[in-house]
Amino acid sequence: MSGSTDITARGRSTAALIGGVAITNTSMVGASTVATLIGADRLSAAWSGVPNAAGVVGTAAGTLGLAALMSRRGTRLALTAGYAVALLGAAVAGYAVVAGAMVPFLLGMVLLGVGNGGAQLSRYCAAELYPPHRRGFVVGLVVWIGTVGAIIGPNLMQPSSAGAAAAGLPALTGPFLVAMVAAAGALAASAALPRLRIVARSRPAGRVPGTVWRQPAVVTALSAMVAGQVAMVTLMTMTPLYMHDHHHGLGAVGLVLTFHLVGMFGLAPLSGQLADRFGGLVASLTGVGVLVVSVLLASLGPAPGLARLNVALFLLGLGWNLTFVGGSSQLTGALDPAYRTRVQGGVDAVVWTASAVASVAAGAVLAAGGFAVLAVATGVVAVLPVPLLLRALRRSPEPSAGLVERPSAARR
């Protein structure tokens, strides 16, 4: 394969990967938001996080299972399978809303989460196509494309709900109809992935050695990503319910979520450049600082017009972005390519499993102590990895430390 053909195929692959991510993020915004409302209505406020937890469990299972499939059969097959499962999940969840059946609804959320797991792995797939010094930026670029979901997703909730109601369906069916269309689009995008030459991922016998999991880059990336994810999920998933309880409509909820999701995705390329320039540890520590400012603002409650809550949720998204991109950039360069895919999938599975626990716990904390207590608890979680990150930064100040590259002509 010629160099120009490689570059063309790389561009096509990147476009297909970020297309699937953009479409999936758009659909997951509406589905996750109404899932919290459905949980509060069908279960209770204390258990309102259960449907979102089901989706997060699906994401954890998806990242783990699809990473294993990816290492054996390639990116195209793994992502196509993940988005096909998401299409089925959207259909099952939509049916469950119509039927008023909670168990099928939770199953549908799990299946939707599997497709989201594929979208999460796409950032690693795209980064692997580029030289090491550009991988942080590429991770940030793939995360940034979620801005499409941040802008479009919240604003589809009201019209899709109105459209469903006009068709004689329950209003909250609308976002799941959108998710069905989105999953079909992501499936088409992944099926269009070309084959091309990338860094090799050999297939060693047996499981990943414990020494690989204990590498400093893996431990610090995991701790930062878990803390950032749990902090973000804890506060974000309960904000729609908090606003709903204070008589704010879906339009106001959508606006706050737009601010939050722009924070999550809009500045991701800058987070990637920060990770490339100063290292993933610096990016992660910066993210923790932003998360602390966010939860302090959120704990004060909404100012008139929800202005303070908009700023707090924007910063919550930005802090998550920095920890997520910073940790991900470490995992794209500091691992032996023979184990990289499975470690990345394993780390993401742990991150999303912790997120599922946070989704359930957040509802209980909100019901018991209120939104301010929930915000303070979020801040405590955010700062937990700081001592570990600072110690690792003192030991390895160079952003390129520990990089391992083994170019090869293997095909995906």
Side-chain angles (χ1 to χ4, degrees):
M1 185 181 290
S2 69
S4 61
T5 303
D6 275 344
I7 293 173
T8 301
R10 184 172 69 183
R12 288 174 54 205
S13 292
T14 304
L17 289 167
I18 65 176
V21 171
I23 297 169
T24 301
N25 284 350
T26 299
S27 65
M28 290 302 293
V29 169
S32 298
T33 301
V34 301
T36 300
L37 303 180
I38 291 171
D41 181 58
R42 303 281 171 83
L43 299 172
S44 68
W47 294 100
S48 58
V50 170
N52 262 321
V56 176
V57 167
T59 300
T63 55
L64 194 61
L66 294 174
L69 181 60
M70 197 175 288
S71 68
R72 292 170 172 80
R73 302 295 300 276
T75 297
R76 181 165 57 187
L77 178 62
L79 293 183
T80 300
Y83 292 136
V85 172
L87 177 58
L88 175 61
V92 170
Y95 162 78
V97 174
V98 174
M102 200 62 191
V103 172
F105 181 69
L106 295 176
L107 174 61
M109 291 299 297
V110 170
L111 297 177
L112 264 174
V114 171
N116 188 46
Q120 297 301 319
L121 290 174
S122 294
R123 71 191 189 277
Y124 295 126
C125 300
E128 189 116 3
L129 305 175
Y130 291 82
H133 67 279
R134 296 188 60 195
R135 288 180 179 168
F137 174 77
V138 174
V139 168
L141 178 65
V142 177
V143 175
W144 170 82
I145 201 64
T147 307
V148 174
I151 295 172
I152 299 176
N155 295 296
L156 287 179
M157 290 191 299
Q158 194 164 6
S160 65
S161 297
L169 299 171
L172 295 184
T173 309
F176 295 99
L177 298 177
V178 171
M180 289 179 63
V181 175
L187 180 61
S190 61
L193 278 168
R195 294 182 179 274
L196 72 166
R197 294 148 63 96
I198 61 165
V199 173
R201 289 178 175 177
S202 59
R203 304 171 190 170
R207 62 183 60 187
V208 178
T211 53
V212 174
W213 293 108
R214 291 192 295 271
Q215 284 185 29
V218 177
V219 174
T220 54
L222 177 62
S223 63
M225 292 169 71
V226 166
Q229 183 78 12
V230 170
M232 185 272 291
V233 167
T234 300
L235 200 58
M236 183 273 289
T237 55
M238 290 299 108
T239 296
L241 181 59
Y242 170 73
M243 296 178 67
H244 179 73
D245 290 345
H246 287 76
H247 312 294
H248 296 286
L250 284 179
V253 172
L255 179 62
V256 170
L257 287 179
T258 297
F259 273 89
H260 172 63
L261 292 168
V262 168
M264 284 182 70
F265 305 119
L267 300 179
L270 295 181
S271 300
Q273 288 183 323
L274 177 66
D276 283 339
R277 178 76 179 274
F278 300 105
L281 289 171
V282 172
S284 296
L285 280 166
T286 304
V288 170
V290 174
L291 286 171
V292 170
V293 174
S294 165
V295 299
L296 288 175
L297 287 174
S299 67
L300 300 176
L306 298 175
R308 187 183 294 124
L309 197 58
N310 285 336
V311 174
L313 267 291
F314 170 80
L315 293 177
L316 181 71
L318 179 59
W320 169 86
N321 178 290
L322 285 160
T323 59
F324 191 72
V325 172
S328 298
S329 68
Q330 288 183 270
L331 296 177
T332 61
L335 298 172
D336 189 317
Y339 301 110
R340 188 177 296 160
T341 304
R342 286 184 289 169
V343 172
Q344 289 166 345
V347 167
D348 274 16
V350 173
V351 169
W352 287 96
T353 299
S355 185
V357 175
S359 295
V360 176
V365 173
L366 180 66
F371 195 74
V373 172
L374 181 70
V376 172
T378 298
V380 172
V381 171
V383 300
L384 287 178
V386 168
L388 180 63
L389 295 174
L390 288 174
R391 184 165 61 250
L393 188 63
R394 286 195 297 269
R395 292 178 178 176
S396 181
E398 295 298 327
S400 59
L403 294 182
V404 178
E405 279 305 311
R406 297 180 182 177
S408 175
R411 294 178 181 267
R412 189 182 292 278

